[in-house]
Amino acid sequence: MNKIVLITGATSGIGLACARKFAENGDRPILTGRNEQRLDEIRKELTEKGRDVLTLAFDVRDREQATKSIEELPAEWREIDVLVNNAGLALGLEPEYEGNLDDWETMIDTNVKGLLTMTRLVVPGMVERNRGHIINVGSVAGDAAYAGGNVYCATKAAVKALSDGLRIDVANTAVRVTNLKPGLVETNFSNVRFHGDNERAATVYKGIKPLTGDDIADVAVFAANAPEHVQIAEVLILATHQASGSVIVRK
């Protein structure tokens, strides 16, 4: 059965890769993000390939805007089968005692509260229909803190706890919950973290072949298409020469 798949943060990186992979799989993506122009470009790209796509421009940090967007979905798009909570970011790499409070607020509002908002808006319908799948994009950073990661690591630890908690809450239904935990993925992630410092961002991936957004999207599509009795609860995905959030062998 072709699924309706809502993907947050779909304009770049893992979210964009998920948009393309689910569309290639014959599913019907609902793509959300803050950049309306970029959403329009992606919709054009996919529709030209014969895919059925809907785009919604809003920021997951804006609860009112998110609620309005979901409540006003066209009838043929309302029964969301898969929610990919991908929108997230890291900002800064300072010691916790020197961190930027605005950066902290943005990370918490996006990575934790934004995920919760989308879960609260979409999952009740899944429970009512007794089918659905929530795929949360966490991180290896949620397993253990690394130097300078402090608040970002805390938000991804929260994603793990929220995924585990939701899985418990829906265990009496056929709704499934997956937490994907990528390691080094070469996207615009580090560029955002370092506030547009491309040179510094490039050093993150120096000496190692990192994962790509497509690698993570492949796992998401696989999890969503597992047999109904199979719940892929958690997947840690690392580059071959990365052993943990802080152990990376560069050659």
Side-chain angles (χ1 to χ4, degrees):
M1 182 185 77
N2 293 345
K3 300 178 179 68
I4 297 175
V5 183
L6 193 155
I7 304 163
T8 66
T11 57
S12 64
I14 293 171
L16 177 55
C18 283
R20 289 170 173 156
K21 292 283 185 177
F22 276 105
E24 288 170 11
N25 191 58
D27 297 316
R28 300 168 59 207
I30 301 173
L31 310 180
T32 84
R34 293 175 296 167
N35 188 331
E36 188 168 5
Q37 181 179 342
R38 186 71 184 117
L39 285 171
D40 289 342
E41 292 169 356
I42 298 164
R43 180 177 58 202
K44 183 180 179 183
E45 170 198 328
L46 295 177
T47 54
E48 285 177 351
K49 295 179 180 178
R51 313 303 182 191
D52 194 9
V53 181
L54 179 70
T55 57
L56 302 172
F58 67 87
D59 188 332
V60 295
R61 294 177 297 172
D62 188 330
R63 187 191 305 171
E64 184 177 336
Q65 198 177 34
T67 301
K68 186 174 186 291
S69 296
I70 299 304
E71 288 181 348
E72 294 181 357
L73 279 171
E76 65 272 23
W77 290 94
R78 286 180 187 165
E79 295 193 0
I80 296 166
D81 299 291
V82 181
L83 168 63
V84 182
N85 273 319
N86 165 74
L89 75 168
L91 292 170
L93 204 59
E94 298 81 18
E96 192 168 324
Y97 60 87
E98 295 178 352
N100 183 298
L101 274 72
D102 290 335
D103 285 352
W104 292 356
E105 189 169 315
T106 299
M107 285 188 282
I108 292 167
D109 285 354
T110 306
N111 302 359
V112 181
K113 292 166 70 176
L115 179 146
L116 280 169
T117 294
M118 296 308 299
T119 299
R120 183 64 180 85
L121 290 172
V122 174
V123 175
M126 294 180 175
V127 171
E128 184 179 344
R129 294 185 294 275
N130 197 36
R131 71 172 193 274
H133 196 155
I134 302 92
I135 299 175
N136 290 331
V137 179
S139 172
V140 63
D143 288 347
Y146 55 77
N150 44 77
V151 174
Y152 174 70
C153 293
T155 66
K156 291 304 183 178
V159 171
K160 173 177 170 51
L162 292 171
S163 300
D164 292 346
L166 180 60
R167 196 177 302 111
I168 293 166
D169 291 338
V170 299
N172 64 325
T173 75
V175 177
R176 301 181 292 185
V177 181
T178 298
N179 180 24
L180 300 183
K181 304 191 301 184
L184 281 177
V185 183
E186 190 166 13
T187 63
N188 66 342
F189 175 87
S190 292
N191 181 276
V192 171
R193 162 168 260 170
F194 299 129
H195 299 280
D197 186 337
N198 294 328
E199 187 174 339
R200 188 179 180 193
T203 64
V204 174
Y205 311 106
K206 190 174 182 179
I208 186 171
K209 184 174 182 179
L211 302 167
T212 68
D214 283 345
D215 296 326
I216 311 307
D218 283 339
V219 179
V221 172
F222 180 85
N225 287 279
E228 289 184 3
H229 70 289
V230 176
Q231 178 171 213
I232 299 175
E234 188 169 284
V235 185
L236 176 64
I237 312 139
L238 301 175
T240 299
H241 296 294
Q242 179 176 13
S244 69
S246 57
V247 178
I248 299 165
V249 178
R250 302 180 189 274
K251 298 185 177 182

